[in-house]
Amino acid sequence: MLYHIFYQLLDINLFKYITFRAFYALITSFLISLILGPYIIRRLKVFQYKKGGYVRQYTPDTHVAKKHTPTMGGILIVLSVVISSLLWCRLDNFYVWITLFVLISFSVIGGLDDYIKIKHKTGLSTKTKFFSQIFVASLVSVLLYKYPGFDPHLYVPFFKSLQFDLGFFYILFMVFIIVGTSNAVNLTDGLDGLAIGPTLVSAIAFSIFAYISGHAVLSSYLHVPHISGSGELTVFLMALLGAGLGFLWFNSFPAEMFMGDAGALSIGAVLGTVAIITKQEIVLAVVGGIFVVETMSVILQVGYFKLTGGKRLFKRAPLHHHFELKGMPEPKIVVRMWIISIILAIIALSTLKIR
Ligand code: 57M
């Protein structure tokens, strides 16, 4: 909104620049989440305390003490991102509205699941939750596919011109990316700070990809697809970074609140959507490697369990619980996964030069 007021109306050039608006979107969302955080924690505590908390079966003892930590803290992230984006993003940008729609709709799905889980111990049925995600992801994928100039090619990193034309199947591929990433972040969100850390790293990495893909000269020089208008997602992702930093202020060990499915599902879906828009879906698997590994650990565990008639490959899946049950302190597991995330993001960014 500020772009339209200060640049278009008042002709103040500064507000034209994506970099300027991105940095202030970060500061704005960080301050909003820092200021609103204590209030939201208090409100969530009041709402959830009466319900006696929620601890899943097979939970390590260290988690039983967490049963009164309030969840649905994702509301704080979504609120901060929406307010900051509406202030600092161009409101005539299709990609900004699509990404805001994904953030809010997946947060509503997750928030409903959290709410029902708190009220009635069991959340949305798996079928309802899954098909709601499929519906939203399908709507978004069709809108993106139909958007003028959409490129249905899947680009392979490290190669200048290796691409696959998926044609109409790209819609199914997009649904898979959005729903898959959403649930991967959700599975990862099992230790204090574990999901938000790689989210911050992904937001930084993809803000760079978005800026470059939206820049005609830079995208041509680096041989990445030029997606006109995608540069505005840099501002959105910096708002997500600021909101995530503010949330981490309260979610760091020992957490004062969890993000809930209201946060995890929406963050994952947004990262998937941004990767699709910037044509970096394969790079997402690298930057979000922690999310991929956590999800693969569950798939391998369940598959091995079924194949061997009850044996486990890991002490417990997702992977973070395996390390916990091996005696590794929670903060050490989390910080080591952050370190791996940072290294993976650097490798992903190197694909911009190595091709
Ligand atoms: C998301 N939810 C956390 C919190 C958070 C198929 C199976 C792998 C599914 C999986 C599952 O249900 N995952 C759902 C994980 C839960 O966190 C809540 O959920 C939200 C995210 N969706 O925001 O509201 C618990 O995680 C802990 N937590 C923190 N700090 C945080 O910042 O400590 C979360 C955020 C919270 C809190 O204790 O209550 C969760 O783990 O339930 N199931 C599992 O993850 C379980 N794994 C399992 O059953 N594995 C089996 C088979 C099925 C693969 C096996 O290995 O044999 C584990 N869950 C827990 N302990 N709690 C088992 C161990």
Side-chain angles (χ1 to χ4, degrees):
M1 177 174 61
L2 299 177
Y3 167 87
H4 302 285
I5 297 169
F6 288 102
Y7 175 59
Q8 288 186 326
L9 276 181
L10 303 176
D11 205 23
I12 300 174
N13 239 9
L14 191 57
F15 285 80
K16 175 177 74 173
Y17 297 104
I18 285 175
T19 43
F20 166 75
R21 287 186 285 117
F23 285 127
Y24 279 91
L26 190 168
I27 292 166
T28 304
S29 58
F30 176 68
L31 291 176
I32 292 170
S33 51
L34 220 51
I35 292 163
L36 280 182
Y39 170 75
I40 287 196
I41 290 170
R42 280 197 305 275
R43 300 293 299 154
L44 290 174
K45 268 185 175 170
V46 167
F47 166 61
Q48 294 176 38
Y49 188 69
K50 297 175 197 133
K51 299 296 160 192
Y54 170 75
V55 176
R56 181 182 300 283
Q57 189 189 6
Y58 305 126
T59 295
D61 296 343
T62 48
H63 287 253
V64 179
K66 297 169 178 245
K67 68 183 285 188
H68 288 306
T69 306
T71 189
M72 285 180 83
I75 294 169
L76 178 67
I77 298 171
V78 172
L79 260 179
S80 307
V81 172
V82 169
I83 295 169
S84 183
S85 297
L86 292 178
L87 274 174
W88 294 101
C89 288
R90 284 183 59 159
L91 302 183
D92 57 354
N93 184 286
F94 170 74
Y95 298 125
V96 168
W97 287 112
I98 275 278
T99 316
L100 279 172
F101 171 71
V102 170
L103 178 83
I104 294 167
S105 47
F106 271 78
S107 187
V108 167
I109 296 169
L112 267 176
D113 185 49
D114 291 330
Y115 180 85
I116 297 170
K117 216 177 272 180
I118 292 158
K119 282 276 189 189
H120 308 295
K121 294 291 180 227
T122 52
L124 284 173
S125 72
T126 307
K127 200 184 282 184
T128 307
K129 196 172 170 184
F130 184 65
F131 284 111
S132 309
Q133 294 171 42
I134 293 285
F135 174 75
V136 173
S138 302
L139 176 63
V140 167
S141 300
V142 169
L143 286 171
L144 284 172
Y145 188 83
K146 292 285 186 196
Y147 188 62
F150 181 77
D151 176 359
H153 287 85
L154 173 63
Y155 287 84
V156 180
F158 295 113
F159 295 91
K160 260 189 202 145
S161 53
L162 181 57
Q163 51 191 275
F164 300 100
D165 184 352
L166 301 182
F168 190 73
F169 285 103
Y170 208 100
I171 293 179
L172 296 178
F173 178 66
M174 288 192 272
V175 173
F176 167 73
I177 292 289
I178 295 171
V179 175
T181 315
S182 178
N183 286 282
V185 175
N186 190 37
L187 283 172
T188 304
D189 189 29
L191 296 180
D192 297 352
L194 181 59
I196 199 65
T199 297
L200 302 180
V201 173
S202 304
I204 294 169
F206 274 100
S207 65
I208 295 168
F209 279 112
Y211 184 80
I212 290 168
S213 70
H215 197 291
V217 175
L218 282 177
S219 54
S220 164
Y221 168 69
L222 292 167
H223 303 288
V224 296
H226 174 48
I227 315 295
S228 179
S230 62
E232 207 55 31
L233 288 179
T234 306
V235 184
F236 175 88
L237 287 164
M238 285 297 103
L240 177 60
L241 176 59
L245 287 168
F247 173 76
L248 180 59
W249 188 276
F250 305 103
N251 182 243
S252 49
F253 182 86
E256 300 166 70
M257 66 170 146
F258 303 147
M259 66 170 70
D261 288 34
L265 290 181
S266 62
I267 285 171
V270 158
L271 292 179
T273 305
V274 169
I276 289 164
I277 293 168
T278 55
K279 312 301 296 171
Q280 300 291 348
E281 298 91 344
I282 298 176
V283 168
L284 174 64
V286 178
V287 177
I290 288 295
F291 302 133
V292 173
V293 167
E294 288 268 298
T295 304
M296 286 312 294
S297 70
V298 173
I299 294 168
L300 291 171
Q301 179 85 323
V302 173
Y304 189 80
F305 192 86
K306 287 177 178 168
L307 272 176
T308 61
K311 288 184 184 160
R312 284 189 163 91
L313 199 54
F314 306 100
K315 286 183 177 296
R316 191 67 80 242
L319 191 59
H320 56 265
H321 288 309
H322 171 77
F323 293 124
E324 265 197 309
L325 293 175
K326 286 190 70 151
M328 194 182 288
E330 180 171 352
K332 188 176 276 293
I333 300 168
V334 172
V335 172
R336 285 183 173 177
M337 289 205 174
W338 288 356
I339 293 169
I340 294 167
S341 267
I342 293 166
I343 299 298
L344 290 172
I346 291 165
I347 293 168
L349 288 168
S350 74
T351 65
L352 288 168
K353 279 306 283 177
I354 308 167
R355 56 180 64 222

